[in-house]
Amino acid sequence: MDNKSEKLANCTLGSRVVINMLQVVFRNVHLRNREDLHIYFDNLFTSPDLLVHLKKYGLVATGTVRANRVNIKNAITEKDERGKWEVKHEKKSGLNFITVMDSKPVSLLSTAAGVTPLGKVKRRQKGKKEKKELDFPNAFMLYNQFMGGVDLHDQRCNAIEPIIRSKKWTWIIFIRIIQSAIANSTILYNLFHEKKESTKFLAMCISKDYLSKARTGKSSVHETEKQHLPRYCCTSKCKIRTRKYCKTCKLFYCDNCFKKTHSTN
């Protein structure tokens, strides 16, 4: 990868991200050994130039592509039946451009796979409850096999999206980490239990557990101590400053509020 900075200057941001992440492959894997590698990415990164560029360096790739990134078009519309597909092949680069009608038209670029061998998928037809078996191009079957986990993870995370929204990127990342942790926990739970549960169900169980631990209702043991610096009582309508600190609740209480909210035993 000589003159890497010059080559990357003319690439889109998504292409630069992929190429930068593959630098470890270019450095450590010899050209003749790269034929066993197959790179997958979604439509945020896919462009014809990127796939052709990777193939020059011995790497084949497959990815869904947005309509505005491809000059040619396949004659597939939303009016077509589910399962209909069309393909265009470029001999010089070996690039396949395939469009399939699923729930909506989906296009894919690949330098690794084409239409054959056809795979079988089950999809619902309009107005019918039963699923019908359809033939799908091999490139789509491979993409769904190796990229389906990413899409499924996003689907699980979106199922427990919080009501509180914010434009701050820190909040978005923080919430996404929690969503990912719950989604991963659901997958692990379902691996070891016969009864499968949804991500939303597990999120509700976690929430109930934390709420039960955080309640300030009656409890048999509440250890208190006097702090050196006084603080306002934690009760919303109480404005008394107090040094009485409940170690169990980790909150400050005045004597009256403590008696009201705790057991005196």
Side-chain angles (χ1 to χ4, degrees):
M1 294 294 287
D2 299 328
N3 302 321
K4 183 184 74 173
S5 58
E6 294 180 8
K7 292 179 180 179
L8 292 181
N10 297 324
C11 293
T12 61
L13 176 59
S15 298
R16 293 201 298 272
V17 170
V18 173
I19 293 171
N20 278 322
M21 292 183 70
L22 289 173
Q23 290 304 307
V24 63
V25 176
F26 297 135
R27 287 195 301 268
N28 300 324
V29 181
H30 195 274
L31 185 62
R32 64 173 176 268
N33 296 327
R34 295 175 193 170
E35 60 183 12
D36 297 328
L37 302 178
H38 189 163
I39 313 301
Y40 294 89
F41 30 76
D42 62 21
N43 60 26
L44 178 65
F45 306 98
T46 310
S47 68
D49 292 338
L50 174 60
L51 271 74
V52 173
H53 181 78
L54 292 176
K55 191 171 183 182
K56 289 180 181 178
Y57 290 90
L59 290 173
V60 293
T62 299
T64 50
V65 64
R66 298 176 182 179
N68 60 357
R69 295 187 183 176
V70 184
N71 295 327
I72 58 175
K73 306 296 178 185
N74 286 324
I76 299 292
T77 66
E78 293 186 358
K79 294 181 180 179
D80 291 316
E81 290 186 3
R82 204 167 194 174
K84 184 179 178 180
W85 51 266
E86 188 173 319
V87 60
K88 286 183 174 61
H89 175 72
E90 190 178 77
K91 291 183 179 180
K92 186 177 179 180
S93 63
L95 189 63
N96 292 314
F97 175 53
I98 311 169
T99 304
V100 172
M101 180 58 195
D102 201 351
S103 56
K104 60 181 180 180
V106 181
S107 295
L108 180 146
L109 288 173
S110 180
T111 52
V115 172
T116 56
L118 291 170
K120 299 290 185 181
V121 296
K122 289 185 178 181
R123 294 288 189 271
R124 282 195 173 88
Q125 300 295 308
K126 289 183 179 180
K128 298 180 181 179
K129 294 183 178 180
E130 297 80 12
K131 289 184 177 181
K132 184 180 178 181
E133 202 169 62
L134 303 173
D135 293 327
F136 261 51
N138 183 45
F140 275 88
M141 301 301 294
L142 291 173
Y143 181 84
N144 289 333
Q145 180 182 353
F146 294 102
M147 282 292 289
V150 177
D151 296 333
L152 180 60
H153 186 271
D154 290 340
Q155 184 181 353
R156 289 182 181 276
C157 289
N158 293 335
I160 52 174
E161 196 168 3
I163 298 174
I164 302 171
R165 300 294 179 88
S166 174
K167 292 182 179 179
K168 291 184 178 180
W169 64 270
T170 50
W171 169 260
I172 295 170
I173 292 177
F174 174 71
I175 291 299
R176 193 64 173 185
I177 291 171
I178 296 175
Q179 288 175 307
S180 297
I182 297 174
N184 292 338
S185 300
T186 306
I187 295 169
L188 292 174
Y189 178 90
N190 290 337
L191 283 174
F192 295 99
H193 294 80
E194 291 184 6
K195 186 181 178 182
K196 309 302 180 186
E197 300 292 353
S198 66
T199 309
K200 187 177 288 187
F201 175 81
L202 202 66
M204 291 294 292
C205 291
I206 294 170
S207 300
K208 288 178 181 178
D209 183 63
Y210 274 99
L211 287 171
S212 65
K213 290 179 180 178
R215 69 176 184 229
T216 58
K218 291 185 177 182
S219 178
S220 59
V221 179
H222 278 266
E223 189 178 352
T224 61
E225 66 178 10
K226 284 189 176 182
Q227 294 286 333
H228 179 67
L229 294 175
R231 296 285 189 276
Y232 282 107
C233 177
C234 69
T235 308
S236 59
K237 294 182 180 180
C238 183
K239 297 183 179 179
I240 298 174
R241 291 172 65 87
T242 178
R243 292 193 297 164
K244 189 169 189 175
Y245 178 74
C246 179
K247 289 184 177 180
T248 307
C249 302
K250 297 183 180 179
L251 295 170
F252 284 87
Y253 289 93
C254 67
D255 289 336
N256 289 334
C257 291
F258 184 84
K259 290 177 182 178
K260 289 179 182 179
T261 55
H262 295 72
S263 173
T264 56
N265 293 337

